[in-house]
Amino acid sequence: MSRTFDEDAELYDRARPGYPPELFDDLAPMAGIGPGCRVLEMGAGTGKATLPLAERGCRVTAVELGADMAAVARRNLAGFGAVEVVTADFETWPLPEEPFDAVVAATAFHWIDPVVRMVKSADALRPGGALAVIGTQHVAGGSEEFFVEVQDCYERFDPATVPGTRLPAAADIDTSDHADEVARSGRFGPVTIRRYEWDLAYTTAGYLDVLRTYSGHRALPPQAREGLLGCIAALIDRRYDGRITKRYLTELRVSRTLPAPG
């Protein structure tokens, strides 16, 4: 599923939202990120998180599996000489000898092999270095009635849809599985978490574009996918005058490496 993103890197770059600026303001003191720091980014995509890191003066090595995604990232970051975009999978990419101050994964950590991701992140970091994992969830809010009504489209065209599904409230989102994974690794201290709720307005065309970047939508058979998107477009145009608002919950999770035993 992770490889579907590379099929239309330009669409992904145009349609996918970035991250709240205050997240990067918080990341600086939480992860010790600042001018001149060395950052390793896993699953950089087209550079949605790489650019804010570069703008804050970080020296970034961004590892991206998809060749087309990496090419777009290089274009987006062409003005930053301290950024290197590497086309490789994070799991097998050889770590450089010089350790990093921080490892960052923005909406990418869940795509990395769980057998590898914690150990390799710790191995990449200097003592006391930080692992920063950014995750985004779809939550209730914005045009709430639309997200109730659109369920009918999903139940009609996507057989994997659970009948009656509703978006959860932000307060009900439980991401403690990440803290549990960090603790099990034995390589990091406690996880510090910051949460950001934010709304983004979409036109009909803009919302369909972002849906076309989601792996679950891309994996549908073409006829079902186009039927689903047509149903959603008709609903937005007919009932919501061609514009809806979507609420996102973005979570920043930061943990630091523990001292070596002994």
Side-chain angles (χ1 to χ4, degrees):
M1 293 283 277
S2 64
R3 296 177 185 272
T4 64
F5 299 121
D6 202 51
E7 294 171 356
D8 196 339
E10 295 290 351
L11 174 65
Y12 185 99
D13 188 55
R14 181 178 73 250
R16 278 291 183 104
Y19 301 95
E22 56 266 34
L23 180 151
F24 294 96
D25 294 338
D26 290 341
L27 182 61
M30 289 173 66
I33 286 177
C37 71
R38 297 187 73 242
V39 175
L40 171 61
E41 185 184 2
M42 65 173 82
T46 62
K48 295 287 185 178
T50 323
L51 182 59
L53 292 169
E55 289 172 339
R56 284 159 173 77
C58 298
R59 295 178 291 156
V60 185
T61 299
V63 180
E64 168 53 42
L65 173 63
D68 289 346
M69 299 279 272
V72 174
R74 291 187 189 100
R75 183 189 69 205
N76 290 340
L77 294 152
F80 297 92
V83 175
E84 177 188 15
V85 179
V86 178
T87 305
D89 65 277
F90 181 79
E91 290 89 340
T92 61
W93 178 70
L95 292 173
E97 290 187 10
E98 184 181 358
F100 293 88
D101 300 301
V103 172
V104 175
T107 321
F109 198 70
H110 59 292
W111 292 116
I112 306 299
D113 186 343
V115 174
V116 175
R117 58 196 181 198
M118 295 302 307
V119 172
K120 191 161 188 176
S121 295
D123 289 346
L125 289 165
R126 62 168 174 78
L131 170 63
V133 174
I134 301 166
T136 298
Q137 305 276 350
H138 309 295
V139 295
S143 302
E144 292 198 57
E145 188 175 350
F146 164 75
F147 289 101
V148 172
E149 291 187 291
V150 79
Q151 177 70 13
D152 290 339
C153 295
Y154 283 93
E155 292 181 16
R156 179 179 171 190
F157 290 100
D158 183 358
T161 302
V162 177
T165 298
R166 296 291 182 266
L167 288 172
D172 294 333
I173 295 291
D174 180 7
T175 56
S176 59
D177 55 336
H178 177 73
D180 293 341
E181 183 180 359
V182 169
R184 286 195 306 271
S185 76
R187 301 291 299 273
F188 293 90
V191 179
T192 302
I193 296 173
R194 297 285 185 275
R195 283 184 159 194
Y196 314 85
E197 284 187 63
W198 51 291
D199 290 346
L200 190 58
Y202 289 100
T203 63
T204 303
Y207 190 60
L208 295 190
D209 275 350
V210 77
L211 292 181
R212 289 187 178 101
T213 71
Y214 292 159
S215 57
H217 291 67
R218 297 186 70 85
L220 287 172
Q223 185 174 358
R225 182 172 60 248
E226 292 312 308
L228 172 62
L229 295 177
C231 181
I232 293 171
L235 176 62
I236 297 173
D237 287 339
R238 184 180 67 251
R239 296 268 290 127
Y240 297 91
D241 297 323
R243 179 174 290 268
I244 55 98
T245 299
K246 184 175 182 63
R247 179 161 298 174
Y248 294 93
L249 171 67
T250 300
E251 189 172 77
L252 171 62
R253 313 154 194 158
V254 177
S255 49
R256 289 184 177 268
T257 54
L258 293 171

